[in-house]
Amino acid sequence: MIMAIVIIILGAPGAGKGTQATQLAAVRAIPHISTGDLFRENLKSATPIGIKAKEFMDAGRLVPDEIVLDMLSERVALDDCRDGYLLDGFPRTVPQAEALDARLARAEPAAQLHVFNLEVSDETIVQRIAGRRICKSCGKIQHVVLSPPQVAGKCDDCGGELYQRKDDAPEVVEQRLRVYHEQTEPVVAYYENKGVLKSLDGERDPETVFAQLEGLI
Ligand code: AP5
Ligand code: MG
């Protein structure tokens, strides 16, 4: 029987989840589902979910589980997720992880689960987030020092305008890190206790991290 593949990338804010997930999902030909990106898209279209999520995101807090779970259930029920999907930024609380487990237990065809944790120090995170820039048109993630754009302010791939996320302001980053340690680190322990967690050194350059990820699947 063909098995679907479900990949979870865990890690603190700025750990490199999006950078790795974009590449891994492309290579594996499965959808890259970032709950943060879904909320930002909802906000752009001014949907009730987007407007509700904004107040939490701007404050560096987690969006309540019910809202996240409803949005995610809808997304993974779409046809393109039949052979699997890659989750970036989900689950972020133990109840979210339990809800995903319940869904996977019912899934047809059964899914092979891979859970990765990108380990990065708080100091590196602050440096990565401070310089992050994202393309308005194609979503490419760059960094003003670590992966500087060839033309200042323009995306290397499509020439689109680069912008900085509102929640990347230093005081919000501090709060996001606090929330990560309090609410999301228990999710790392949850998967460790189940014996499915693979931790990686996320401090290395993106190509090295990617090669390690690929090698572990
Ligand atoms: P979300 O958008 O998921 O943000 P996050 O988890 O805080 O993570 P980031 O996107 O900031 O970082 P990343 O790990 O993707 O790093 P990136 O690859 O960009 O969530 C935002 C908000 O939405 C949350 O705060 C919450 O409010 C809400 N939310 C989302 N999901 C939720 C959920 N499940 N439950 C409740 N609320 C939820 O890299 C960062 C920078 O570093 C870039 O500049 C990049 O170029 C650079 N870089 C990356 N890797 C490397 C490397 N190896 N070496 C050098 N530089 C690197
Ligand atoms: Mg991200």
Side-chain angles (χ1 to χ4, degrees):
M1 193 178 74
I2 301 169
M3 262 201 149
I5 184 168
V6 172
I7 303 173
I8 297 174
I9 302 193
L10 301 172
K17 301 183 295 295
T19 302
Q20 297 300 328
T22 308
Q23 212 182 335
L24 192 56
V27 168
R28 292 265 150 190
I30 51 175
H32 166 200
I33 302 175
S34 153
T35 38
D37 286 348
L38 287 177
F39 285 131
R40 284 183 286 273
E41 281 159 24
N42 269 281
L43 181 61
K44 227 169 158 182
S45 324
T47 69
I49 285 185
I51 291 162
K52 185 79 198 146
K54 180 181 159 48
E55 65 183 88
F56 296 96
M57 293 171 81
D58 285 356
R61 293 165 51 211
L62 294 184
V63 177
D65 286 341
E66 319 79 78
I67 300 179
V68 183
L69 287 170
D70 282 352
M71 180 180 74
L72 189 88
S73 303
E74 224 174 86
R75 177 63 189 88
V76 297
L78 296 183
D79 239 20
D80 64 344
C81 290
R82 223 184 13 216
D83 297 334
Y85 45 89
L86 188 160
L87 296 171
D88 156 5
F90 179 95
R92 251 171 151 105
T93 63
V94 171
Q96 289 181 19
E98 288 168 345
L100 178 66
D101 269 350
R103 165 176 278 279
L104 293 178
R106 298 190 303 266
E108 242 340 297
Q112 191 187 14
L113 180 67
H114 293 271
V115 186
F116 296 105
N117 181 34
L118 299 179
E119 292 181 319
V120 178
S121 69
D122 284 6
E123 295 89 295
T124 302
I125 290 208
V126 168
Q127 181 200 17
R128 283 189 186 171
I129 292 188
R132 171 168 52 193
R133 299 292 183 276
I134 302 155
C135 176
K136 259 189 188 161
S137 309
C138 74
K140 185 181 171 72
I141 304 164
Q142 295 202 223
H143 191 283
V144 290
V145 179
L146 304 169
S147 55
Q150 281 155 15
V151 178
K154 301 281 180 212
C155 172
D156 281 350
D157 282 358
C158 74
E161 192 189 329
L162 297 177
Y163 80 102
Q164 193 165 20
R165 263 167 52 180
K166 194 168 176 211
D167 61 344
D168 282 354
E171 59 285 5
V172 185
V173 172
E174 221 172 274
Q175 171 65 11
R176 284 162 62 198
L177 269 172
R178 243 194 322 267
V179 165
Y180 171 76
H181 291 304
E182 283 169 20
Q183 293 180 263
T184 307
E185 268 178 356
V187 176
V188 176
Y190 174 91
Y191 286 115
E192 196 159 35
N193 289 335
K194 285 178 143 266
V196 295
L197 184 80
K198 293 169 201 152
S199 287
L200 289 103
D201 178 4
E203 299 273 346
R204 326 231 346 229
D205 61 87
E207 294 73 25
T208 307
V209 177
F210 184 71
Q212 280 191 331
L213 269 175
E214 270 274 82
L216 284 169
I217 295 180

